[in-house]
Amino acid sequence: MPKKTQIMVLGSGRALPEKILTNDDLSQRVDTSDTWIRSRTGICQRHVAEPGTALSDLVTAAAQNALEDAKIAAEEIDLIILGTVTGDMKFPATACFVQAKLGAKNAVAFDLSAACAGFLYGLQVAEGLMATSGYKHALVIGGEILTSMVNWQDRDTCVLFGDGVGAVVLGPSDGEHGLLHSCLKSDGTFAKLLYNPGGGSLLPPATPGADPAEFSIHMAGADVFRHAVTAMTSVLQQLLDEAGVQTSDLDLLIPHQANLRIIEAVAKRFHLPKSKVFVNVDRYGNTSAASIPIALDELRRSGELKEGALVGMVTFGAGFTWAAALMRF
Ligand code: UT7
């Protein structure tokens, strides 16, 4: 059986922008259709932030939600890790804005850039820091306003993404519940299959004559799809093997919500029935680092996560980065 847990989820929260963009709305902008988007991705709608929304405001709302749920005061938080690629500004870290907005004056705060794997990377980083630095309570958050870097003329990508934030408060485990194991992976040789070329030091925003399309998401969709299925399958298998857990022991799998066909392909390889695979990509689209913590919060608040449930989580994203984690709730 898996090793003893060191940290557990004490509370969770989420925040979604109010505005909803449907597939029909998108078909007014680009040559696409509700039928194509639903059948190729499973997405029906996504939440989108109004232009000018600060990610830190959404993150603060989700974090406050999680703190209330955990019954922990902001001052008791020692560590804030925000997985994001769409922070308020280039610097400082959006986690620092969040620390100030929460009044979490005792927390060390930083952003973690691992795209869709940001939340699961954050969990393992928090576990390590909590073990070595004496931190008792941590906020681990995945949050994105991905629509701020979407090219609304590019039908290949603009239909896929949505905005949102999910957060958890972590604390010392009671020995039974919590994070049992996690595996993190990276392979930078595929970096340019999914990236945003502009806006960094290589192609600064003020570059004369730069093509505005360079400042948005570029993705070789079919290649990313293939890698996602293979990588998610292998890291989940590694997780189960290393934890000494059979697939049939899992009560639920929470896969990254990028595309229903990717989720179904991974589930099929593990012979997991639909009832054991969580899906909400239809309502949110791909919210990158936020997708797993939003799902966790939905499941905790709806009561679907029963006491003692063994939950696998698996994700894949730009970098490439990918990861899996096993938790007992
Ligand atoms: O979160 C990080 C990980 N990201 C992912 O995991 C995303 C991975 N990739 C995907 O989910 C899928 O590859 C997409 C949903 C992006 C695309 O689905 P696909 O089945 O791989 O389609 P495709 O790119 O092979 O394109 C098939 C056709 C093309 O037309 P032709 O060349 O066959 O005539 C595209 O031009 O579909 C066309 N197409 C569209 N048609 C209507 C592409 N986007 C659209 C669209 N509406 N929005």
mmCIF file of all heavy atoms in Angstrom, residues 16 22 46 105 111-112 119 130 139 146-147 152 181 183 187 211 216 219 251 253 267 271 295 300 317:
data_model
loop_
_atom_site.group_PDB
_atom_site.id
_atom_site.type_symbol
_atom_site.label_atom_id
_atom_site.label_comp_id
_atom_site.label_asym_id
_atom_site.label_seq_id
_atom_site.Cartn_x
_atom_site.Cartn_y
_atom_site.Cartn_z
ATOM 1 N N LEU A 16 -15.001 31.501 -10.891
ATOM 2 C CA LEU A 16 -15.162 31.517 -12.352
ATOM 3 C C LEU A 16 -15.721 32.877 -12.750
ATOM 4 O O LEU A 16 -16.623 33.382 -12.071
ATOM 5 C CB LEU A 16 -16.168 30.445 -12.803
ATOM 6 C CG LEU A 16 -15.755 28.980 -12.925
ATOM 7 C CD1 LEU A 16 -14.490 28.807 -13.729
ATOM 8 C CD2 LEU A 16 -15.661 28.270 -11.616
ATOM 9 N N THR A 22 -20.648 30.677 -25.418
ATOM 10 C CA THR A 22 -21.096 29.382 -25.931
ATOM 11 C C THR A 22 -20.419 29.089 -27.280
ATOM 12 O O THR A 22 -19.827 29.984 -27.900
ATOM 13 C CB THR A 22 -22.621 29.379 -26.160
ATOM 14 O OG1 THR A 22 -22.908 30.335 -27.178
ATOM 15 C CG2 THR A 22 -23.377 29.710 -24.885
ATOM 16 N N ARG A 46 -17.608 27.978 -22.162
ATOM 17 C CA ARG A 46 -16.476 28.294 -21.293
ATOM 18 C C ARG A 46 -16.748 29.641 -20.637
ATOM 19 O O ARG A 46 -17.474 30.474 -21.198
ATOM 20 C CB ARG A 46 -15.121 28.279 -22.033
ATOM 21 C CG ARG A 46 -14.824 29.321 -23.047
ATOM 22 C CD ARG A 46 -15.618 29.223 -24.342
ATOM 23 N NE ARG A 46 -15.297 28.108 -25.248
ATOM 24 C CZ ARG A 46 -16.212 27.469 -25.969
ATOM 25 N NH1 ARG A 46 -17.507 27.832 -25.926
ATOM 26 N NH2 ARG A 46 -15.885 26.481 -26.770
ATOM 27 N N LYS A 105 -0.055 37.757 5.612
ATOM 28 C CA LYS A 105 1.229 38.440 5.780
ATOM 29 C C LYS A 105 2.369 37.531 6.213
ATOM 30 O O LYS A 105 3.520 37.918 6.123
ATOM 31 C CB LYS A 105 1.068 39.609 6.759
ATOM 32 C CG LYS A 105 0.558 39.197 8.120
ATOM 33 C CD LYS A 105 0.336 40.398 9.003
ATOM 34 C CE LYS A 105 -0.128 39.907 10.363
ATOM 35 N NZ LYS A 105 -0.805 40.919 11.117
ATOM 36 N N ASP A 111 4.870 32.315 -7.945
ATOM 37 C CA ASP A 111 4.170 31.662 -9.062
ATOM 38 C C ASP A 111 4.983 30.476 -9.547
ATOM 39 O O ASP A 111 6.209 30.448 -9.399
ATOM 40 C CB ASP A 111 3.998 32.639 -10.240
ATOM 41 C CG ASP A 111 3.053 33.785 -9.934
ATOM 42 O OD1 ASP A 111 2.437 33.772 -8.850
ATOM 43 O OD2 ASP A 111 2.952 34.695 -10.775
ATOM 44 N N LEU A 112 4.300 29.533 -10.145
ATOM 45 C CA LEU A 112 4.958 28.349 -10.677
ATOM 46 C C LEU A 112 4.475 28.179 -12.123
ATOM 47 O O LEU A 112 3.268 28.085 -12.367
ATOM 48 C CB LEU A 112 4.559 27.151 -9.804
ATOM 49 C CG LEU A 112 5.290 25.843 -9.961
ATOM 50 C CD1 LEU A 112 5.113 24.984 -8.707
ATOM 51 C CD2 LEU A 112 4.819 25.080 -11.173
ATOM 52 N N PHE A 119 -0.862 22.946 -11.164
ATOM 53 C CA PHE A 119 -1.437 22.596 -9.863
ATOM 54 C C PHE A 119 -0.780 21.339 -9.285
ATOM 55 O O PHE A 119 -0.405 21.308 -8.110
ATOM 56 C CB PHE A 119 -2.955 22.414 -9.973
ATOM 57 C CG PHE A 119 -3.584 22.008 -8.666
ATOM 58 C CD1 PHE A 119 -3.734 22.914 -7.628
ATOM 59 C CD2 PHE A 119 -4.035 20.700 -8.470
ATOM 60 C CE1 PHE A 119 -4.303 22.534 -6.406
ATOM 61 C CE2 PHE A 119 -4.596 20.317 -7.262
ATOM 62 C CZ PHE A 119 -4.736 21.232 -6.227
ATOM 63 N N MET A 130 6.837 21.919 2.866
ATOM 64 C CA MET A 130 6.210 21.746 4.187
ATOM 65 C C MET A 130 7.006 20.735 5.028
ATOM 66 O O MET A 130 7.079 20.857 6.253
ATOM 67 C CB MET A 130 4.744 21.325 4.026
ATOM 68 C CG MET A 130 3.884 22.483 3.493
ATOM 69 S SD MET A 130 2.271 21.974 2.908
ATOM 70 C CE MET A 130 1.340 21.963 4.437
ATOM 71 N N LEU A 139 -1.457 27.390 0.655
ATOM 72 C CA LEU A 139 -2.489 27.521 -0.381
ATOM 73 C C LEU A 139 -1.840 27.105 -1.685
ATOM 74 O O LEU A 139 -0.819 27.698 -2.084
ATOM 75 C CB LEU A 139 -2.922 28.984 -0.508
ATOM 76 C CG LEU A 139 -4.142 29.457 0.257
ATOM 77 C CD1 LEU A 139 -4.194 30.977 0.258
ATOM 78 C CD2 LEU A 139 -5.437 28.888 -0.348
ATOM 79 N N LEU A 146 -6.685 32.423 -19.540
ATOM 80 C CA LEU A 146 -6.060 32.017 -20.808
ATOM 81 C C LEU A 146 -6.622 32.795 -21.982
ATOM 82 O O LEU A 146 -5.948 32.971 -23.001
ATOM 83 C CB LEU A 146 -6.297 30.528 -21.051
ATOM 84 C CG LEU A 146 -5.307 29.541 -20.461
ATOM 85 C CD1 LEU A 146 -5.644 28.147 -20.925
ATOM 86 C CD2 LEU A 146 -3.877 29.884 -20.822
ATOM 87 N N THR A 147 -7.879 33.261 -21.840
ATOM 88 C CA THR A 147 -8.462 33.982 -22.979
ATOM 89 C C THR A 147 -7.723 35.297 -23.226
ATOM 90 O O THR A 147 -7.878 35.885 -24.288
ATOM 91 C CB THR A 147 -9.972 34.246 -22.779
ATOM 92 O OG1 THR A 147 -10.164 35.029 -21.593
ATOM 93 C CG2 THR A 147 -10.755 32.939 -22.668
ATOM 94 N N TRP A 152 -8.404 35.347 -31.228
ATOM 95 C CA TRP A 152 -9.824 35.098 -31.516
ATOM 96 C C TRP A 152 -10.099 34.912 -33.003
ATOM 97 O O TRP A 152 -11.224 34.655 -33.393
ATOM 98 C CB TRP A 152 -10.698 36.206 -30.926
ATOM 99 C CG TRP A 152 -10.661 36.205 -29.420
ATOM 100 C CD1 TRP A 152 -10.024 37.101 -28.625
ATOM 101 C CD2 TRP A 152 -11.262 35.227 -28.543
ATOM 102 N NE1 TRP A 152 -10.181 36.748 -27.291
ATOM 103 C CE2 TRP A 152 -10.942 35.614 -27.212
ATOM 104 C CE3 TRP A 152 -12.027 34.072 -28.743
ATOM 105 C CZ2 TRP A 152 -11.367 34.892 -26.097
ATOM 106 C CZ3 TRP A 152 -12.444 33.365 -27.625
ATOM 107 C CH2 TRP A 152 -12.111 33.764 -26.331
ATOM 108 N N HIS A 181 1.104 10.067 -3.130
ATOM 109 C CA HIS A 181 2.256 9.959 -4.030
ATOM 110 C C HIS A 181 2.043 10.907 -5.196
ATOM 111 O O HIS A 181 0.901 11.209 -5.553
ATOM 112 C CB HIS A 181 2.370 8.521 -4.552
ATOM 113 C CG HIS A 181 3.664 8.255 -5.264
ATOM 114 N ND1 HIS A 181 4.891 8.587 -4.726
ATOM 115 C CD2 HIS A 181 3.928 7.726 -6.483
ATOM 116 C CE1 HIS A 181 5.845 8.252 -5.575
ATOM 117 N NE2 HIS A 181 5.293 7.734 -6.654
ATOM 118 N N CYS A 183 4.017 12.128 -9.212
ATOM 119 C CA CYS A 183 5.092 12.000 -10.204
ATOM 120 C C CYS A 183 5.034 13.222 -11.115
ATOM 121 O O CYS A 183 3.958 13.541 -11.644
ATOM 122 C CB CYS A 183 4.886 10.773 -11.108
ATOM 123 S SG CYS A 183 4.771 9.221 -10.250
ATOM 124 N N ASP A 187 9.534 17.512 -20.639
ATOM 125 C CA ASP A 187 10.349 17.265 -21.825
ATOM 126 C C ASP A 187 10.309 18.491 -22.723
ATOM 127 O O ASP A 187 9.378 18.681 -23.516
ATOM 128 C CB ASP A 187 9.841 16.034 -22.584
ATOM 129 C CG ASP A 187 10.799 15.651 -23.710
ATOM 130 O OD1 ASP A 187 11.657 16.478 -24.076
ATOM 131 O OD2 ASP A 187 10.688 14.521 -24.225
ATOM 132 N N ASP A 211 4.375 40.548 -35.597
ATOM 133 C CA ASP A 211 3.027 40.101 -35.966
ATOM 134 C C ASP A 211 2.220 39.899 -34.674
ATOM 135 O O ASP A 211 2.630 39.106 -33.814
ATOM 136 C CB ASP A 211 3.172 38.774 -36.728
ATOM 137 C CG ASP A 211 1.829 38.182 -37.111
ATOM 138 O OD1 ASP A 211 0.791 38.746 -36.712
ATOM 139 O OD2 ASP A 211 1.838 37.139 -37.794
ATOM 140 N N SER A 216 0.159 35.175 -28.988
ATOM 141 C CA SER A 216 -0.995 34.351 -28.610
ATOM 142 C C SER A 216 -0.589 32.874 -28.622
ATOM 143 O O SER A 216 0.535 32.525 -28.992
ATOM 144 C CB SER A 216 -2.159 34.599 -29.572
ATOM 145 O OG SER A 216 -1.763 34.266 -30.876
ATOM 146 N N MET A 219 -0.554 26.134 -31.214
ATOM 147 C CA MET A 219 -0.574 24.716 -30.833
ATOM 148 C C MET A 219 -0.684 23.820 -32.064
ATOM 149 O O MET A 219 -1.520 24.053 -32.939
ATOM 150 C CB MET A 219 -1.760 24.418 -29.907
ATOM 151 C CG MET A 219 -1.832 22.942 -29.527
ATOM 152 S SD MET A 219 -2.960 22.592 -28.175
ATOM 153 C CE MET A 219 -4.501 22.918 -28.945
ATOM 154 N N ASP A 251 -11.169 5.077 -6.748
ATOM 155 C CA ASP A 251 -12.597 5.410 -6.720
ATOM 156 C C ASP A 251 -12.924 6.424 -7.803
ATOM 157 O O ASP A 251 -14.056 6.486 -8.290
ATOM 158 C CB ASP A 251 -12.977 5.982 -5.347
ATOM 159 C CG ASP A 251 -12.861 4.910 -4.270
ATOM 160 O OD1 ASP A 251 -13.563 3.891 -4.381
ATOM 161 O OD2 ASP A 251 -12.033 5.076 -3.355
ATOM 162 N N LEU A 253 -10.960 9.033 -11.075
ATOM 163 C CA LEU A 253 -9.840 9.659 -11.777
ATOM 164 C C LEU A 253 -10.275 11.068 -12.176
ATOM 165 O O LEU A 253 -11.346 11.259 -12.775
ATOM 166 C CB LEU A 253 -9.470 8.853 -13.034
ATOM 167 C CG LEU A 253 -8.326 9.458 -13.855
ATOM 168 C CD1 LEU A 253 -6.994 9.374 -13.090
ATOM 169 C CD2 LEU A 253 -8.191 8.767 -15.207
ATOM 170 N N ALA A 267 -8.926 6.887 -20.163
ATOM 171 C CA ALA A 267 -9.806 6.026 -19.353
ATOM 172 C C ALA A 267 -9.887 4.622 -19.960
ATOM 173 O O ALA A 267 -9.862 3.615 -19.243
ATOM 174 C CB ALA A 267 -11.191 6.651 -19.258
ATOM 175 N N HIS A 271 -9.147 0.770 -18.559
ATOM 176 C CA HIS A 271 -10.430 0.056 -18.408
ATOM 177 C C HIS A 271 -11.276 0.669 -17.292
ATOM 178 O O HIS A 271 -11.936 -0.049 -16.523
ATOM 179 C CB HIS A 271 -10.207 -1.441 -18.133
ATOM 180 C CG HIS A 271 -9.326 -2.088 -19.157
ATOM 181 N ND1 HIS A 271 -9.729 -2.289 -20.457
ATOM 182 C CD2 HIS A 271 -8.045 -2.518 -19.090
ATOM 183 C CE1 HIS A 271 -8.737 -2.834 -21.150
ATOM 184 N NE2 HIS A 271 -7.705 -2.979 -20.337
ATOM 185 N N ALA A 295 -12.141 21.029 -10.488
ATOM 186 C CA ALA A 295 -12.841 19.744 -10.402
ATOM 187 C C ALA A 295 -12.882 19.245 -8.955
ATOM 188 O O ALA A 295 -13.928 18.793 -8.464
ATOM 189 C CB ALA A 295 -12.138 18.717 -11.288
ATOM 190 N N ARG A 300 -15.788 18.064 -3.987
ATOM 191 C CA ARG A 300 -15.877 18.152 -2.521
ATOM 192 C C ARG A 300 -17.195 18.784 -2.109
ATOM 193 O O ARG A 300 -17.879 18.321 -1.222
ATOM 194 C CB ARG A 300 -14.705 18.958 -1.966
ATOM 195 C CG ARG A 300 -13.371 18.213 -2.034
ATOM 196 C CD ARG A 300 -12.239 19.030 -1.432
ATOM 197 N NE ARG A 300 -12.235 18.945 0.023
ATOM 198 C CZ ARG A 300 -12.624 19.903 0.836
ATOM 199 N NH1 ARG A 300 -13.056 21.050 0.358
ATOM 200 N NH2 ARG A 300 -12.591 19.730 2.132
ATOM 201 N N GLY A 317 0.526 19.221 -20.272
ATOM 202 C CA GLY A 317 0.436 20.549 -20.879
ATOM 203 C C GLY A 317 1.739 21.024 -21.483
ATOM 204 O O GLY A 317 2.692 20.257 -21.664
#
